Each structure stands twice: as structure tokens, then as C-alpha cells.
Amino acid sequence: ETGVTQTPRHLVMGMTNKKSLKCEQHLGHNAMYWYKQSAKKPLELMFVYNFKEQTENNSVPSRFSPECPNSSHLFLHLHTLQPEDSALYLCASSQDWAGGGGQYFGPGTRLTVT
Amino acid sequence: GNSVTQMEGPVTLSEEAFLTINCTYTATGYPSLFWYVQYPGEGLQLLLKATKADDKGSNKGFEATYRKETTSFHLEKGSVQVSDSAVYFCALSDRGAQKLVFGQGTRLTINP
């Protein structure tokens, strides 16, 4: 498999549930990212990981908990979410800096919180 | 701070029309510039990029030229197809910085 994959593609969860989103990149990159894309709002960067270390947390509520066990895998653990957290969650990867090569995105997980 | 401004959408064109989507940027350094495309139900795909002034990025018939004097990176295509219908995002990244700064996106619809 090539590129960046995300599972599941669609997720419906209640506000009291706990679920996890998974991202895997097959590009040999060292940096991984979580973004949130809501309707009619700009793309929001949530977290950045470099060589498994978190280097950016963009004031994300603690009900979102990222985990990066290695440079190829990234998880987003979800608990006690709110309806306004419904969005498309995109994972991306890049070499250790995005200046020249750009970031490569997965297809996203469409999350609906009921 | 760095920012990207795209033309307001939505944009609707007929097949084979000429396309321009304007993008201007504000940056303190010498950024790299990107166009991403998002087809319905999918994530963002890197369409093209340019890393220094006067560079032209091109892919799938789309082109954009890095204009430092006008701080612009307008996306163009000579003859659009129905399959080009998507949302297009302009973005920049400062050298040595990891964050991509995105524009708000422009929705393009091509009618047959």
C-alpha cells in the first residue's frame, strides 16, 4: 500500500464513547500531522509529530489525545466529544520539514458525534 | 504573521473554459508555495508546488508561477474538464518551518 492511509473512513459515535482514529504513512517520512476540516472553516492544524515527538499542540482540547508510536503510525484517541467536534479529520506526513516537499494527506475520517 | 488569501468561491465554468484562481500571500521569509486539490469525499492532494521566485509548478494541465514582486501564486488551466470539479487550496510554508498555512479554499464546479 502506498501513500497515507486512514481508518476508519467514517465514524459515528456518541458523546460518551471512546474511539480511536488511525493513520499510517508508507512514504518514509519523519513528520506526521492531524488536521480538522469543518464545513465553512479553514483547515485547522491540531498536532505535529517529528520523529515520534510531539512538537506542536495547537490549543486542542484534552478530549483529543494523539499518540505516535513510531514515524509511520499516528493515532487520535477520542473521548467525551461534543457535537461541534463533528468534522473531517485529516492525517498528513512530510519529510522533517515542509518547506520544499509539501505534506501528503490521507483520505480522512468523517466523524459524526451524536 | 504568514497568511494566504484566495479568491472567493464558488467558481462555476463551462467545460473547456480558461481557469484562473487567484492566490496572494503574506510572508516574512522566502516561502515555498503549494496548490492542493480536494475532490469530493477525499483528502487533500498536492497538485503542484514552487520553492523559489519565478519557479513555475505544473501538473495535470494546471500551472502556477511564483511571483515575488506581486506576492502571488495564481492557479491557471487552459481548458477545464468536468473532472476538475473540486475544492482548490493555496498554501505556503516558510523555509525551516513545518507549518503549512492554507487559504480558505475555492470550490470549482465545471458544467458539461
Side-chain angles (χ1 to χ4, degrees):
Chain A
E1 188 141 27
T2 58
V4 181
T5 58
Q6 290 186 243
T7 54
R9 292 293 308 274
H10 301 273
L11 178 62
V12 179
M13 59 186 288
M15 289 190 285
T16 57
N17 291 159
K18 290 185 181 181
K19 297 286 184 183
S20 295
L21 311 185
K22 179 182 176 183
C23 175
E24 184 173 0
Q25 60 95 1
H26 308 267
L27 300 168
H29 290 164
N30 296 313
M32 297 188 77
Y33 311 78
W34 279 117
Y35 287 87
K36 177 183 179 182
Q37 188 178 33
S38 305
K40 300 182 181 179
K41 290 178 71 174
L43 208 60
E44 299 173 57
L45 177 65
M46 300 174 72
F47 301 103
V48 180
Y49 277 81
N50 275 297
F51 296 93
K52 304 187 299 177
E53 299 297 321
Q54 186 181 121
T55 55
E56 179 114 9
N57 176 339
N58 208 21
S59 302
V60 180
S62 60
R63 57 186 183 270
F64 295 91
S65 175
E67 178 190 1
C68 189
N70 54 60
S71 293
S72 299
H73 293 86
L74 184 65
F75 296 89
L76 188 63
H77 304 300
L78 315 172
H79 63 96
T80 59
L81 294 190
Q82 304 299 311
E84 60 264 28
D85 297 322
S86 298
L88 182 67
Y89 288 85
L90 293 165
C91 174
S93 70
S94 72
Q95 295 294 343
D96 51 354
W97 66 282
Q103 294 177 15
Y104 292 81
F105 285 78
T109 295
R110 174 70 61 186
L111 174 67
T112 303
V113 181
T114 61
Chain B
N2 298 338
S3 66
V4 175
T5 302
Q6 290 181 235
M7 66 186 289
E8 290 278 339
V11 174
T12 302
L13 296 172
S14 298
E15 207 165 19
E16 299 183 4
F18 184 88
L19 168 71
T20 300
I21 300 178
N22 290 338
C23 172
T24 57
Y25 67 89
T26 302
T28 52
Y30 299 93
S32 294
L33 301 174
F34 307 88
W35 276 102
Y36 283 83
V37 58
Q38 186 175 30
Y39 298 103
E42 298 184 15
L44 277 68
Q45 297 178 27
L46 180 61
L47 180 60
L48 53 84
K49 64 183 180 184
T51 57
K52 60 183 188 297
D54 300 325
D55 268 2
K56 178 187 283 188
S58 61
N59 186 24
K60 299 181 181 180
F62 290 90
E63 293 183 341
T65 301
Y66 190 141
R67 301 284 188 202
K68 190 168 182 295
E69 63 276 13
T70 54
T71 62
S72 65
F73 193 54
H74 304 321
L75 183 69
E76 297 182 336
K77 186 174 185 181
S79 176
V80 292
Q81 306 300 313
V82 172
S83 57
D84 295 325
S85 299
V87 181
Y88 292 81
F89 294 89
C90 185
L92 70 81
S93 177
D94 256 342
R95 294 190 181 284
Q98 265 187 304
K99 287 204 284 190
L100 277 177
V101 176
F102 285 91
Q104 73 271 31
T106 302
R107 181 175 298 279
L108 173 67
T109 301
I110 307 300
N111 294 321

